[in-house]
């Protein structure tokens, strides 16, 4: 019975133990199965704030990713998605605080912080939502900056894949650290595929990260000779942008 109702019960056969899942665990499982922006928005709007604020950061990131997909252009659907984003942004500080202080919780890595910051940065709406968004973004920027500072002081590479690094570059304030970021990621960037290098180049050029843009432009230009035909268009476009 319990294994067949895993959304409500956590059953461990090897320990012969069963536990009723918390409301935030049940909501997190529900959100993980949602595939459309409208369904996600409805679940977020219907959820209580005291449950949302205890969600794992992975569930919040997944929710933002689904909400950012193209959905219905109906006014009511647009308003519902905006309200869902407002609620998620409003509890983000509590979610991160729980992840940092709860012994049973997993703290989000830098890649997740960068991804969340990118999603939050894209949110637009009325002045009230913009204020909440900016406050949440400031919190995420501080978390990201602390992780970069730690890596820089320890003289170790950033624990990031190249795609997450592109998201990090877009985080406000990171362009000013272009030189440091290049040093911390140089080995991974030079070993990356041309498609990955193009994404970083585009992000760096958009953010105004001068030294990183120059370095990635040279890397992409060097890779053009052996590039596949279908990759040439995006590479040339990114180079022209610089």
């Amino acid at each position: 019975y319990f294994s067949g109702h895993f959304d409500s019960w956590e059953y461990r056969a090897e320990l012969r133990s069963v536990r009723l899942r918390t409301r935030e665990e049940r909501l997190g499982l529900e959100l993980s199965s949602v595939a459309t922006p409208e369904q996600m928005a409805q679940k977020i709007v219907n959820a209580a704030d005291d449950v949302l604020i205890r969600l794992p950061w992975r569930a919040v990131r997944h929710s933002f990713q689904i909400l950012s997909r193209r959905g219905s252009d109906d006014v009511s659907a647009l308003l519902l998605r905006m309200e869902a984003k407002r609620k998620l942004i409003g509890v983000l500080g509590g979610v991160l605080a729980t992840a940092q202080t709860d012994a049973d919780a997993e703290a989000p890595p830098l890649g997740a912080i960068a991804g969340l910051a990118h999603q939050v940065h894209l949110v637009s709406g009325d002045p009230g939502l913009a204020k909440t968004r900016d406050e949440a973004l400031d919190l995420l920027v501080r978390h990201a900056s602390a992780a970069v500072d730690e890596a820089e002081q320890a003289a170790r590479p950033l624990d990031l894949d190249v795609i997450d690094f592109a998201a990090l570059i877009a985080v406000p304030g990171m362009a000013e650290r272009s030189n440091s970021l290049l040093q911390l990621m140089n080995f991974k960037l030079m070993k990356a595929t041309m498609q990955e290098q193009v994404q970083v180049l585009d992000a760096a050029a958009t953010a105004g990260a001068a030294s990183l843009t120059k370095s990635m432009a040279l890397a992409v230009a060097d890779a053009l000779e052996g590039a596949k035909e279908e990759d040439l268009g995006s590479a040339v476009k990114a180079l022209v942008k610089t």
Side-chain angles (χ1 to χ4, degrees):
Y1 172 83
F2 297 115
S3 59
H5 295 79
F6 68 93
D7 55 335
S8 297
W9 300 91
E10 181 186 54
Y11 176 57
R12 298 185 179 182
E14 70 279 7
L15 299 177
R16 300 180 65 83
S17 68
V18 64
R19 177 181 66 84
L20 180 64
R21 293 189 185 277
T22 62
R23 289 192 297 163
E24 58 269 22
E25 285 179 306
R26 295 199 295 274
L27 178 60
L29 287 171
E30 288 181 24
L31 297 179
S32 68
S33 65
V34 172
T36 71
E38 289 73 29
Q39 292 173 336
M40 180 63 76
Q42 193 65 66
K43 287 190 177 294
I44 295 296
V45 169
N46 289 343
D49 287 346
D50 65 323
V51 176
L52 286 174
I53 203 168
R54 294 196 301 272
L55 279 175
W57 61 264
R58 292 182 187 277
V60 175
R61 181 178 63 174
H62 174 70
S63 300
F64 270 118
Q65 289 171 342
I66 298 299
L67 288 170
S68 67
R69 292 178 182 174
R70 179 68 182 270
S72 171
D73 291 331
D74 182 75
V75 174
S76 61
L78 291 171
L79 291 175
L80 188 67
R81 294 200 298 273
M82 185 181 296
E83 179 58 25
K85 290 176 181 179
R86 185 198 305 274
K87 289 192 72 171
L88 284 177
I89 289 173
V91 301
L92 193 53
V95 169
L96 292 176
T98 299
Q100 295 288 343
T101 59
D102 190 336
D104 295 326
E106 177 193 5
L110 179 56
I113 294 293
L116 280 169
H118 178 65
Q119 292 292 337
V120 170
H121 185 59
L122 294 177
V123 173
S124 60
D126 59 62
L129 177 58
K131 181 177 184 296
T132 305
R133 175 203 63 204
D134 291 345
E135 290 173 350
L137 187 59
D138 181 65
L139 176 65
L140 290 165
V141 168
R142 282 188 273 121
H143 275 274
S145 295
V148 173
D149 288 341
E150 184 180 338
E152 195 170 14
Q153 291 166 9
R156 59 171 172 75
L158 289 175
D159 185 18
L160 276 178
D161 62 32
V162 175
I163 301 304
D164 283 335
F165 181 67
L168 178 66
I169 292 300
V171 172
M174 287 297 159
E176 287 76 11
R177 308 186 67 167
S178 178
N179 289 326
S180 296
L181 292 174
L182 180 57
Q183 291 178 8
L184 294 171
M185 284 291 291
N186 187 60
F187 179 78
K188 290 183 179 180
L189 292 174
M190 295 306 108
K191 295 292 185 180
T193 65
M194 192 180 78
Q195 296 97 314
E196 291 173 332
Q197 291 176 338
V198 166
Q199 288 193 47
V200 175
L201 171 58
D202 187 63
T206 300
S211 59
L212 182 57
T213 299
K214 181 180 179 180
S215 178
M216 296 313 302
L218 291 172
V220 170
D222 287 343
L224 284 177
E225 185 176 347
K228 297 178 181 178
E229 186 175 346
E230 59 267 26
D231 297 330
L232 289 175
S234 60
V236 172
K237 184 178 178 180
L239 287 170
V240 169
K241 185 176 180 179
T242 63

PDB file of all heavy atoms in Angstrom, residues 139-153:
ATOM      1  N   LEU A 139      19.855  39.047  -3.330  1.00  0.00           N
ATOM      2  CA  LEU A 139      20.214  37.934  -2.450  1.00  0.00           C
ATOM      3  C   LEU A 139      20.987  36.864  -3.219  1.00  0.00           C
ATOM      4  O   LEU A 139      22.018  36.369  -2.752  1.00  0.00           O
ATOM      5  CB  LEU A 139      18.944  37.335  -1.841  1.00  0.00           C
ATOM      6  CG  LEU A 139      19.128  36.094  -0.959  1.00  0.00           C
ATOM      7  CD1 LEU A 139      19.933  36.447   0.288  1.00  0.00           C
ATOM      8  CD2 LEU A 139      17.766  35.521  -0.568  1.00  0.00           C
ATOM      9  N   LEU A 140      20.514  36.526  -4.404  1.00  0.00           N
ATOM     10  CA  LEU A 140      21.185  35.516  -5.218  1.00  0.00           C
ATOM     11  C   LEU A 140      22.570  35.979  -5.660  1.00  0.00           C
ATOM     12  O   LEU A 140      23.519  35.188  -5.688  1.00  0.00           O
ATOM     13  CB  LEU A 140      20.325  35.183  -6.435  1.00  0.00           C
ATOM     14  CG  LEU A 140      19.040  34.401  -6.146  1.00  0.00           C
ATOM     15  CD1 LEU A 140      18.106  34.456  -7.340  1.00  0.00           C
ATOM     16  CD2 LEU A 140      19.353  32.951  -5.783  1.00  0.00           C
ATOM     17  N   VAL A 141      22.681  37.254  -5.994  1.00  0.00           N
ATOM     18  CA  VAL A 141      23.979  37.807  -6.396  1.00  0.00           C
ATOM     19  C   VAL A 141      24.981  37.698  -5.253  1.00  0.00           C
ATOM     20  O   VAL A 141      26.152  37.353  -5.460  1.00  0.00           O
ATOM     21  CB  VAL A 141      23.829  39.275  -6.844  1.00  0.00           C
ATOM     22  CG1 VAL A 141      25.194  39.952  -6.977  1.00  0.00           C
ATOM     23  CG2 VAL A 141      23.080  39.354  -8.171  1.00  0.00           C
ATOM     24  N   ARG A 142      24.525  37.971  -4.033  1.00  0.00           N
ATOM     25  CA  ARG A 142      25.421  37.866  -2.874  1.00  0.00           C
ATOM     26  C   ARG A 142      25.884  36.423  -2.657  1.00  0.00           C
ATOM     27  O   ARG A 142      27.055  36.178  -2.327  1.00  0.00           O
ATOM     28  CB  ARG A 142      24.732  38.412  -1.629  1.00  0.00           C
ATOM     29  CG  ARG A 142      24.724  39.945  -1.575  1.00  0.00           C
ATOM     30  CD  ARG A 142      24.225  40.490  -0.261  1.00  0.00           C
ATOM     31  NE  ARG A 142      22.779  40.616  -0.258  1.00  0.00           N
ATOM     32  CZ  ARG A 142      21.979  40.020   0.595  1.00  0.00           C
ATOM     33  NH1 ARG A 142      22.480  39.207   1.516  1.00  0.00           N
ATOM     34  NH2 ARG A 142      20.672  40.194   0.548  1.00  0.00           N
ATOM     35  N   HIS A 143      24.981  35.478  -2.843  1.00  0.00           N
ATOM     36  CA  HIS A 143      25.350  34.064  -2.720  1.00  0.00           C
ATOM     37  C   HIS A 143      26.369  33.688  -3.794  1.00  0.00           C
ATOM     38  O   HIS A 143      27.369  33.009  -3.507  1.00  0.00           O
ATOM     39  CB  HIS A 143      24.102  33.189  -2.863  1.00  0.00           C
ATOM     40  CG  HIS A 143      23.332  33.005  -1.597  1.00  0.00           C
ATOM     41  ND1 HIS A 143      23.616  32.037  -0.672  1.00  0.00           N
ATOM     42  CD2 HIS A 143      22.265  33.675  -1.091  1.00  0.00           C
ATOM     43  CE1 HIS A 143      22.770  32.101   0.339  1.00  0.00           C
ATOM     44  NE2 HIS A 143      21.940  33.099   0.099  1.00  0.00           N
ATOM     45  N   ALA A 144      26.128  34.118  -5.026  1.00  0.00           N
ATOM     46  CA  ALA A 144      27.033  33.803  -6.130  1.00  0.00           C
ATOM     47  C   ALA A 144      28.400  34.451  -5.916  1.00  0.00           C
ATOM     48  O   ALA A 144      29.447  33.812  -6.129  1.00  0.00           O
ATOM     49  CB  ALA A 144      26.429  34.267  -7.454  1.00  0.00           C
ATOM     50  N   SER A 145      28.409  35.697  -5.487  1.00  0.00           N
ATOM     51  CA  SER A 145      29.672  36.414  -5.263  1.00  0.00           C
ATOM     52  C   SER A 145      30.484  35.747  -4.162  1.00  0.00           C
ATOM     53  O   SER A 145      31.715  35.643  -4.263  1.00  0.00           O
ATOM     54  CB  SER A 145      29.389  37.871  -4.887  1.00  0.00           C
ATOM     55  OG  SER A 145      28.785  38.557  -5.965  1.00  0.00           O
ATOM     56  N   ALA A 146      29.817  35.279  -3.114  1.00  0.00           N
ATOM     57  CA  ALA A 146      30.518  34.602  -2.023  1.00  0.00           C
ATOM     58  C   ALA A 146      31.183  33.319  -2.520  1.00  0.00           C
ATOM     59  O   ALA A 146      32.316  32.996  -2.127  1.00  0.00           O
ATOM     60  CB  ALA A 146      29.541  34.291  -0.890  1.00  0.00           C
ATOM     61  N   ALA A 147      30.500  32.583  -3.393  1.00  0.00           N
ATOM     62  CA  ALA A 147      31.066  31.341  -3.936  1.00  0.00           C
ATOM     63  C   ALA A 147      32.270  31.632  -4.832  1.00  0.00           C
ATOM     64  O   ALA A 147      33.276  30.913  -4.792  1.00  0.00           O
ATOM     65  CB  ALA A 147      29.991  30.585  -4.719  1.00  0.00           C
ATOM     66  N   VAL A 148      32.179  32.695  -5.623  1.00  0.00           N
ATOM     67  CA  VAL A 148      33.306  33.077  -6.479  1.00  0.00           C
ATOM     68  C   VAL A 148      34.479  33.547  -5.628  1.00  0.00           C
ATOM     69  O   VAL A 148      35.641  33.194  -5.896  1.00  0.00           O
ATOM     70  CB  VAL A 148      32.882  34.176  -7.480  1.00  0.00           C
ATOM     71  CG1 VAL A 148      34.097  34.689  -8.256  1.00  0.00           C
ATOM     72  CG2 VAL A 148      31.836  33.643  -8.448  1.00  0.00           C
ATOM     73  N   ASP A 149      34.201  34.334  -4.594  1.00  0.00           N
ATOM     74  CA  ASP A 149      35.252  34.796  -3.684  1.00  0.00           C
ATOM     75  C   ASP A 149      35.990  33.617  -3.061  1.00  0.00           C
ATOM     76  O   ASP A 149      37.226  33.614  -2.964  1.00  0.00           O
ATOM     77  CB  ASP A 149      34.655  35.654  -2.563  1.00  0.00           C
ATOM     78  CG  ASP A 149      34.191  37.010  -3.054  1.00  0.00           C
ATOM     79  OD1 ASP A 149      34.626  37.438  -4.136  1.00  0.00           O
ATOM     80  OD2 ASP A 149      33.381  37.653  -2.348  1.00  0.00           O
ATOM     81  N   GLU A 150      35.219  32.622  -2.635  1.00  0.00           N
ATOM     82  CA  GLU A 150      35.818  31.449  -1.990  1.00  0.00           C
ATOM     83  C   GLU A 150      36.735  30.698  -2.941  1.00  0.00           C
ATOM     84  O   GLU A 150      37.845  30.290  -2.564  1.00  0.00           O
ATOM     85  CB  GLU A 150      34.701  30.521  -1.494  1.00  0.00           C
ATOM     86  CG  GLU A 150      35.203  29.311  -0.718  1.00  0.00           C
ATOM     87  CD  GLU A 150      34.066  28.422  -0.261  1.00  0.00           C
ATOM     88  OE1 GLU A 150      32.918  28.897  -0.165  1.00  0.00           O
ATOM     89  OE2 GLU A 150      34.333  27.218  -0.006  1.00  0.00           O
ATOM     90  N   ALA A 151      36.291  30.525  -4.184  1.00  0.00           N
ATOM     91  CA  ALA A 151      37.116  29.833  -5.177  1.00  0.00           C
ATOM     92  C   ALA A 151      38.374  30.638  -5.493  1.00  0.00           C
ATOM     93  O   ALA A 151      39.471  30.080  -5.642  1.00  0.00           O
ATOM     94  CB  ALA A 151      36.304  29.602  -6.456  1.00  0.00           C
ATOM     95  N   GLU A 152      38.225  31.943  -5.573  1.00  0.00           N
ATOM     96  CA  GLU A 152      39.360  32.812  -5.894  1.00  0.00           C
ATOM     97  C   GLU A 152      40.410  32.769  -4.781  1.00  0.00           C
ATOM     98  O   GLU A 152      41.611  32.674  -5.045  1.00  0.00           O
ATOM     99  CB  GLU A 152      38.853  34.241  -6.097  1.00  0.00           C
ATOM    100  CG  GLU A 152      39.846  35.152  -6.782  1.00  0.00           C
ATOM    101  CD  GLU A 152      39.216  36.474  -7.190  1.00  0.00           C
ATOM    102  OE1 GLU A 152      38.097  36.781  -6.710  1.00  0.00           O
ATOM    103  OE2 GLU A 152      39.839  37.193  -7.986  1.00  0.00           O
ATOM    104  N   GLN A 153      39.948  32.819  -3.536  1.00  0.00           N
ATOM    105  CA  GLN A 153      40.877  32.788  -2.408  1.00  0.00           C
ATOM    106  C   GLN A 153      41.598  31.443  -2.295  1.00  0.00           C
ATOM    107  O   GLN A 153      42.755  31.376  -1.889  1.00  0.00           O
ATOM    108  CB  GLN A 153      40.125  33.099  -1.116  1.00  0.00           C
ATOM    109  CG  GLN A 153      39.638  34.546  -1.024  1.00  0.00           C
ATOM    110  CD  GLN A 153      38.618  34.760   0.075  1.00  0.00           C
ATOM    111  OE1 GLN A 153      38.377  33.885   0.903  1.00  0.00           O
ATOM    112  NE2 GLN A 153      38.008  35.938   0.097  1.00  0.00           N
TER     113      GLN A 153
END
